[in-house]
């Protein structure tokens, strides 16, 4: 467990990768900031959760935040540089669920080339927004699931080797039959 002490503490990853190793990171809550600079990465592994009790979270447009936990995890609503969910390639089956709207400036990657299925679920009503030129990569073990009312705004390319499920709440689905893409139209 990494706990910041004094009020106004800043934890900044300036280069390389800070891997939680399954441990928690907790700020003081008062005016603490958590930053991942451009080119740096922050990786949550094991059963660790998103850093708690920081007032401000900032991610550089070329930084990477990697949700690579071994059990169900929450993807916190934030503006990310590059975002990875379940790209670790282990045998576990894990669901990563949004708890708020996210925006991604770079690449959103879901799943790995091998291992157990990893699902990124948009939850009931959360939005994913990709910046212009940003990409979504759904790898062979990846599943991108939007079965609620959340919007998807894409600014670049989508590469799919896994499954993409886009669904609104009226239940009428359109599938392509070959690429595991399901699109459901809205009522109206």
């Amino acid at each position: 467990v990494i706990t910041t002490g004094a009020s106004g503490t800043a934890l900044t990853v300036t280069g390389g990768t800070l891997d939680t190793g399954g441990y928690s990171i907790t700020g003081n809550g008062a005016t603490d900031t958590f930053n991942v600079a451009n080119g740096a990465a922050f990786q949550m592994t094991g059963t660790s959760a998103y850093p708690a009790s920081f007032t401000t979270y900032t991610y550089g447009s070329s930084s990477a935040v990697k949700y690579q936990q071994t059990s169900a995890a929450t993807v916190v609503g934030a503006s990310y540089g590059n975002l990875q969910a379940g790209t670790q390639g282990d045998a576990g089956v894990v669901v990563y669920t949004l708890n708020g709207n996210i925006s991604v400036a770079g690449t959103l990657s879901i799943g790995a080339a091998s291992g157990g299925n990893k699902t990124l679920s948009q939850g009931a009503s959360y939005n994913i927004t990709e910046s212009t030129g940003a990409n979504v990569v759904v790898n062979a073990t990846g599943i991108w699931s939007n079965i609620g009312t959340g919007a998807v705004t894409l600014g670049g390319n989508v590469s799919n080797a896994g499954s993409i499920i886009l669904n609104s709440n009226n239940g009428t689905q359109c599938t392509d039959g070959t690429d595991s893409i399901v699109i459901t139209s809205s009522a109206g």
Side-chain angles (χ1 to χ4, degrees), residues 85-94 96 109-120 137-144 160-163:
T87 56
Q88 66 270 30
D90 64 6
V93 174
V94 182
Y96 302 87
S109 300
I110 305 166
S114 63
N117 287 342
K118 306 297 190 282
T119 300
L120 177 62
V137 177
V138 181
N139 293 299
T141 66
I143 301 169
W144 176 14
N160 180 35
S163 296

Side-chain angles (χ1 to χ4, degrees), residues 29-153:
T31 56
D32 291 357
T33 59
F34 183 87
N35 303 297
V36 182
N38 282 326
F42 173 65
Q43 177 172 294
M44 293 161 280
T45 57
T47 58
S48 62
Y50 190 80
S53 299
F54 288 87
T55 306
T56 305
Y57 299 84
T58 306
Y59 303 104
S61 61
S62 66
S63 69
V65 175
K66 304 175 182 182
Y67 287 85
Q68 298 185 341
Q69 293 94 328
T70 54
S71 60
T74 299
V75 175
V76 172
S79 294
Y80 295 97
N82 295 290
L83 176 61
Q84 298 179 12
T87 56
Q88 66 270 30
D90 64 6
V93 174
V94 182
V95 176
Y96 302 87
T97 304
L98 299 185
N99 78 346
N101 298 329
I102 66 168
S103 62
V104 180
T107 299
L108 168 61
S109 300
I110 305 166
S114 63
N117 287 342
K118 306 297 190 282
T119 300
L120 177 62
S121 171
Q122 282 185 240
S125 61
Y126 300 115
N127 301 322
I128 293 180
T129 303
E130 288 273 316
S131 298
T132 300
N135 297 302
V136 176
V137 177
V138 181
N139 293 299
T141 66
I143 301 169
W144 176 14
S145 175
N146 174 355
I147 57 171
T149 59
V152 175
T153 305

Side-chain angles (χ1 to χ4, degrees), residues 150-166:
V152 175
T153 305
L154 301 175
N157 297 318
V158 175
S159 171
N160 180 35
S163 296
I164 299 175
I165 304 166
L166 304 175

